[in-house]
């Protein structure tokens, strides 16, 4: 199954392959729902509304088909409860939640495909009470920060153990980020029955961070303490990294050379430690970064301008929304697939411009 998904992504591109997989999964979900084996989140809880206009400068990513230089921050029309209790749930290593033989999306980590709808859910242990997280994704570091860490921080201190799907719990960053929060967390390595499940519900639509989420995350990543060095630049380079979810390339070496030539710092995020990020904070007036979740580590920096390098193969507006929520409004996007000359011209113009000055689009 995983090999087929990889092949489809290579042939169709990651975005179209994901759409195709979801179209196929919709048919399975419809069939299982008709048979009483799948219960989706009610439609009234998934309706969204426009909340705020978020503009940017530079290039419009290829994924914005209209070419406009803005995105709308969206929110659920009906606010969801932060915490919801559910009796007699069975949770599985994939993040699925079952009750009376039915997959309950309202309490699960993501919508199911056929494999999850057919997964074994016979429990061999029972807990009287535990916390679980309802969210959309549980694969990457970005998913962890956005969809798990935020609700856990919002609910802490927890009165019972936190159970995490095996797909996310085995990642090293989970232990790193939870170690100072005094959270009793455990990996779901086999189905577990919870007599009283305390479900932390997904609050925000997709990756459209509200300001309150940034305040929560800074409990882990720190608060900006001092003003940055005027003219300071830090580049978060993905050179040498491979994505967990999509094939994408960035002109990292070209940008590294440009930043070093200006006396800026370069952090290769694949091998960076929290100490590396802390040491760079004083230079982070402007943060240039390849689209990727390492940018979350810059939340404790006193940045005033962000420059996102994007791929034509993969982009979403997570970091535009995050910066807006953090009060960083000087935001420029540069398409990294338009060639070295374009990148150099656009990046130099952006770095040479006064902060908050409009850049040519």
């Amino acid at each position: 199954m995983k090999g087929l998904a990889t092949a489809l992504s290579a042939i169709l591109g990651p975005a179209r392959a994901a759409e195709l997989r979801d179209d196929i999964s919709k048919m399975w979900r419809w069939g299982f729902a008709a048979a009483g084996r799948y219960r989706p989140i009610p439609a009234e809880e998934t309706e969204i509304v426009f909340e705020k206009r978020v503009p940017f400068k530079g290039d419009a990513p290829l994924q914005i088909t209209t070419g406009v230089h803005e995105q709308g921050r969206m929110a659920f029309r009906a606010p969801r409860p932060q915490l919801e209790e559910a009796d007699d749930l069975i949770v599985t290593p994939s993040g699925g939640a079952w009750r009376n033989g039915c997959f309950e999306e309202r309490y699960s980590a993501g919508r199911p495909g056929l494999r999850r709808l057919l997964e074994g859910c016979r429990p061999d242990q029972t807990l009287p009470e535990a916390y679980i997280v309802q969210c959309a994704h549980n694969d990457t570091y970005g998913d962890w920060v956005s969809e798990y860490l935020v609700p856990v921080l919002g609910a802490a201190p927890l009165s019972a153990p936190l159970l995490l799907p095996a797909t996310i719990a085995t990642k090293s960053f989970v232990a790193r980020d939870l170690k100072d929060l005094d959270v009793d967390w455990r990996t779901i390595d086999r189905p577990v029955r919870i007599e009283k499940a305390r479900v932390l519900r997904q609050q925000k639509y997709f990756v459209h961070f509200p300001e309150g989420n940034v305040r929560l995350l800074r409990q882990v990543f720190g608060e900006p303490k001092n003003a940055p060095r005027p003219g300071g630049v830090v580049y978060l380079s993905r050179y040498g990294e491979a994505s967990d979810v999509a094939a994408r390339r960035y002109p990292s070496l070209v940008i590294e050379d440009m930043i070093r030539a200006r006396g800026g710092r370069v952090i290769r995020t694949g091998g960076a430690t929290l100490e590396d990020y802390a040491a760079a904070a004083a230079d982070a007036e402007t943060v240039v970064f390849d689209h990727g979740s390492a940018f979350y580590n810059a939340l404790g920096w006193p940045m005033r301008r962000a420059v996102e390098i994007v791929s034509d193969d993969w982009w979403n507006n997570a970091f535009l929304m995050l910066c807006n929520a953090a009060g960083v409004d000087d935001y420029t996007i540069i398409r990294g697939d338009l060639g070295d000359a374009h990148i150099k011209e656009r990046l130099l113009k952006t770095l040479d411009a006064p902060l908050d000055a409009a850049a040519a689009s």
Side-chain angles (χ1 to χ4, degrees), residues 288-307:
V288 183
F289 68 102
D290 298 335
H291 178 102
S293 55
F295 185 68
Y296 290 118
N297 295 291
L299 272 176
W301 291 353
M303 81 178 85
R304 300 180 63 194
R305 171 164 53 198
V307 183

Side-chain angles (χ1 to χ4, degrees), residues 39-189:
R39 186 174 292 113
I41 296 175
E44 60 269 21
E45 290 190 20
T46 63
E47 292 181 4
I48 57 175
V49 293
F50 175 84
E51 192 173 66
K52 184 180 181 181
R53 171 181 172 270
V54 182
F56 61 89
K57 299 177 286 192
D59 300 322
L62 196 63
Q63 291 79 6
I64 302 179
T65 56
T66 59
V68 297
H69 284 69
E70 65 179 54
Q71 292 280 274
R73 185 197 301 284
M74 312 302 289
F76 291 119
R77 181 183 296 277
R80 296 177 177 180
Q82 179 187 30
L83 179 67
E84 188 170 330
E85 293 189 352
D87 294 333
D88 202 29
L89 278 188
I90 297 172
V91 293
T92 67
S94 72
W98 293 80
R99 184 160 55 182
N100 299 325
C102 180
F103 187 102
E104 296 273 6
E105 185 183 331
R106 187 191 196 102
Y107 309 126
S108 297
R111 288 181 173 177
L114 179 61
R115 181 168 52 183
R116 295 182 74 196
L117 289 168
L118 294 175
E119 68 182 346
C121 56
R122 183 186 299 275
D124 59 4
Q125 63 174 313
T126 298
L127 293 177
E129 185 178 358
Y131 285 83
I132 58 174
V133 176
Q134 177 259 317
C135 61
H137 306 95
N138 62 354
D139 299 311
T140 68
Y141 180 52
D143 299 337
W144 163 249
V145 174
S146 172
E147 307 210 37
Y148 283 86
L149 192 53
V150 166
V152 169
L153 288 167
L158 305 185
S159 59
L162 170 67
L163 305 188
L164 298 174
T167 48
I168 200 77
T170 54
K171 305 294 178 65
S172 61
F173 46 72
V174 173
R176 182 199 75 182
D177 291 346
L178 291 180
K179 70 177 182 179
D180 295 326
L181 299 181
D182 195 25
V183 174
D184 175 13
W185 65 277
R186 307 173 189 179
T187 303
I188 308 172
D189 53 13

Side-chain angles (χ1 to χ4, degrees), residues 242-325:
S243 170
D244 290 329
V245 296
R248 56 187 194 250
R249 300 171 305 279
Y250 299 101
S252 303
L253 293 179
V254 171
I255 298 173
E256 286 184 9
D257 289 344
M258 293 178 65
I259 299 303
R260 289 193 181 104
R262 296 179 70 95
R265 288 179 180 254
V266 172
I267 295 178
R268 289 189 173 175
T269 58
T273 65
L274 289 181
E275 290 73 23
D276 294 327
Y277 287 99
D283 288 320
E285 183 176 72
T286 294
V287 179
V288 183
F289 68 102
D290 298 335
H291 178 102
S293 55
F295 185 68
Y296 290 118
N297 295 291
L299 272 176
W301 291 353
M303 81 178 85
R304 300 180 63 194
R305 171 164 53 198
V307 183
E308 180 183 8
I309 312 300
V310 307
S311 166
D312 287 349
D313 291 325
W314 178 265
W315 179 78
N316 63 44
N317 57 26
F319 305 113
L320 173 64
M321 296 298 172
L322 184 67
C323 278
N324 181 259

